[in-house]
Amino acid sequence: MLDGWINSINWIGWIKALHIFFMIAWMAGIFYLPRLFVYHSQTSSQEVRDQFKIMERRLWFFVTPFALLTLIFGVILIYMHGRAWFAASMWIHVKLTLVIFVYAYHGYLYFQLKKFAKDIIPHSSRFYRFLNEAPVLVLLAIVALAVLKAF
């Protein structure tokens, strides 16, 4: 009885749902972190800066596991679809290239966070506004590639 139930589960669907869920949670966090940098860079109050440092660090450590889980479930999906599918699906190669940029962006935010933690504000609030908004287009391209599978 249990074997029949386990075999009836749509495993690829569940893995895909978890991949999407963790990606959404991750993106929410890395869209908000540069917004905190905007506000952090605009304040001159050390008390407020210290509060931003706490918020930034907590947010970073909250969303980083989501980045890892997104990666794990994405790799599982590729494995479940198989080598032939991976070789034939050119859209996934473009998507993965963009995903590498998002992980690099995530790492860059960490280095910015470390600078803010030392009371070093290397850029203007305008720079952090751009840093906050630019990845939206990359995310749109990733989602479009995954949904449309155009090539």
Side-chain angles (χ1 to χ4, degrees):
M1 171 129 171
L2 185 59
D3 288 338
W5 179 77
I6 290 173
N7 290 335
S8 70
I9 295 175
N10 176 0
W11 290 106
I12 288 180
W14 274 106
I15 299 297
K16 189 182 291 186
L18 289 169
H19 175 67
I20 293 168
F21 171 78
F22 288 119
M23 183 272 305
I24 291 169
W26 174 36
M27 290 297 110
I30 66 170
F31 286 158
Y32 187 54
L33 186 56
R35 180 54 52 184
L36 289 175
F37 293 162
V38 169
Y39 302 138
H40 192 154
S41 67
Q42 291 176 330
T43 187
S44 58
S45 165
Q46 189 60 45
E47 185 177 323
V48 174
R49 285 184 177 180
D50 290 342
Q51 185 62 43
F52 277 123
K53 290 177 199 177
I54 293 167
M55 293 169 65
E56 292 157 359
R57 186 180 66 248
R58 286 181 180 170
L59 181 60
W60 168 264
F61 285 107
F62 181 72
V63 300
T64 297
F66 298 146
L68 296 173
L69 289 165
T70 299
L71 178 64
I72 289 167
F73 286 111
V75 169
I76 291 170
L77 279 170
I78 291 170
Y79 176 79
M80 290 174 85
H81 279 87
R83 183 175 285 168
W85 171 85
F86 183 74
S89 302
M90 298 311 330
W91 66 270
I92 193 75
H93 299 274
V94 176
K95 177 189 172 206
L96 290 175
T97 301
L98 294 173
V99 167
I100 289 168
F101 285 118
V102 176
Y103 278 96
Y105 174 79
H106 185 92
Y108 180 74
L109 292 179
Y110 177 74
F111 288 111
Q112 293 298 303
L113 179 135
K114 297 304 274 181
K115 289 178 182 179
F116 276 106
K118 296 176 184 175
D119 286 323
I120 299 169
I121 302 174
H123 303 288
S124 68
S125 63
R126 184 178 178 153
F127 173 86
Y128 291 112
R129 276 191 186 89
F130 174 76
L131 192 67
N132 175 234
E133 296 162 1
V136 171
L137 298 176
V138 176
L139 179 60
L140 174 61
I142 289 170
V143 170
L145 285 162
V147 171
L148 300 174
K149 298 172 179 59
F151 50 94

